[in-house]
Amino acid sequence: MEQMNSQDASVTEPMLKVEGISKRFGGVQALQDVDLQVDTGEHVALVGDNGAGKSTLVKILTGAEHADDGSFWFAGEERHFRSPLEARRHGIETVYQTLALADHLDVVANLFLGRERYLLRLGPFSVLNRAAMKTEARALLERTGVQIPDLGAMIMGMSGGQRQGVAIARAAGWGSKMIVLDEPTAALGVQETAKVEEIIHTLKDQGVTVLMVSHNLRQVFDLVDTIWVLRHGRMVGARKAAEVRPQEIVSMITGADDASGLEFA
Amino acid sequence: MAVVAPPSTDDRVTHRSVTATLLSRPEIGALLGVIIIAVIFLAAAPAFRSVDNIGTILYGSSTIGLMAVPVALLMIGGEFDLSAGVAVTTSGLAAALLSWNFGLNVWLGVFLALLISLAIGAFNGWLLHATGLPSFLVTLGTFFVLQGVNLAVTRLVTGGVSSNTISDMQGWNSAKAVFASSLKIGPVDLSITVLYWVLFTIVGGYLLLRTRAGNWIFAAGGDAAAARAVGVPVTRTKVLLFMGVGFGAWLTGMHMLFNYNNVQSGAGIGNEFIYIIAAVIGGCLLSGGYGSVVGASLGALIFGMTQLGISYAGWNPDWFKTFLGAMLLFACVANVYVKKKADQR
């Protein structure tokens, strides 16, 4: 594992480095001595069967759960996030499966929810600078390749693809260092999935670091540089997407062919 | 909204017409209601046509509207306040009893009543947060608690069921001028509460649509978990909304006290539903996340017009509540229908 990234690592420090993370829930060992590395600007996928520990690992990295053992470094500093908000303050943005958007607010208000721009600061009566927010929102959407015809429209009437686009654009903005995408297209139709994948491609061109959890291997091979495989709470290995056949990833996920899965670990 | 829209890649997306945008506003049902009710009573009640009575109709509306505005904001924020009606009485009683009992300047009583009203609101919000119970239950509890406190404390202090008169005390005249005076504009006698009501509507509407607080209210009411995930302080927002209702209860309570010289300890029961009806007629959803302050004020206006219209028309006022209930159902159905039509355009 170390060797694979040695070239990149010598150039840039990894954005995220995870070492020996373990987590138990009652009698279940959800994660056992897990390592993971995400380089700056890299797109990484975390794959594995249901119950392999993907969500638990992501929750620990984003502050929603706490590891029993092990540690991780983000942007060069060792971190123990106590809450998702703390992770967010340090530059990890998570796009949740249940999209955290306010249905009755428009696109601009959603993009700026929790970090509004003001004309005048008066505590809760602070007056919003709607023109500035709209201009910034338009630039942000353009940069991330999200197409929304009417920025003043409520989220309510939008398609799943547009909603996901707004959620990803919000995560990509505001100086975030890494975006965590949890099953970004699980609830979407074919065309909408294609649109969201385009957006993720655009993020790659922009140099945004992405860690995504996905069940869709076709998508994973299309979108990421490196695939990390979890099975039964252990990290089975990592492969460069360009250098591995899908069958090998499948056998690593299922454990059907242990030899090919373990040779790398 | 945008005059120059980027070319759409999806041909199903077209621009909505101005009428569709207008019809999709939450207050449209209430606006139609105001027009219909006005037309009915203009036709049926000669006294309704007299300019002098405008002041009376607006006065009745304002005593509801002062509470309907903060109640609407609270409902958009996703919560109910069933204690709002008796909280008005609590505030009036507090000012009267504290002033009388301690022989203070009435302004001190007024100030203490404000603190008590805000504290009741904050307590409702805190209890909601601490227990995790729905606000319907929490405020149903405070509703009964306050109702009992109003009766018991009044009897304890005065030996009766209403507060003693404090009109001979220091500060009475200036307080009456602030809370219960009226202005003559042409032929119309306008109560100062009408001015407060208009002010509340403007400030509330501005707060909701143009400030950070407004965005937070919509977000907290629509999906509290989602709002929290992006950093909206949901609990604080809701506590402040309950305190807003407390502020409205204080202003209304002070008006009641200085207008009628004393406060009946059993008053206010049932008014909480009138406030909620006004907010719902005005387009607020019971589930939160949607609604309008202007709509709630139009709802209060419908209430005021109906209340006086029925007696001006010489109808039996016993039917007033029945009429109000039918209005509520009609307005809700109209809101849903108009919204569906607007979405189809």
Side-chain angles (χ1 to χ4, degrees), chain A residues 85 88 100 102 104-105 109 113-114 116 118 123-128 130 147 149 152 154 170, chain B residues 1 5-6 9 13 206-207 209-213 215-216 218-219 226 229-232 289-290:
Chain A
L85 271 180
R88 194 167 170 234
H104 293 291
L105 289 176
L113 203 54
E116 290 81 359
Y118 305 109
F125 289 87
S126 296
V127 181
L128 297 174
R130 308 215 308 166
Q147 290 172 340
M154 272 190 203
R170 182 171 65 195
Chain B
M1 273 200 137
T9 50
V13 180
Y206 190 81
L207 188 75
L209 298 176
R210 289 288 180 276
T211 70
R212 178 185 80 181
N215 279 356
W216 287 8
F218 275 116
V230 298
V232 173
Y290 189 71

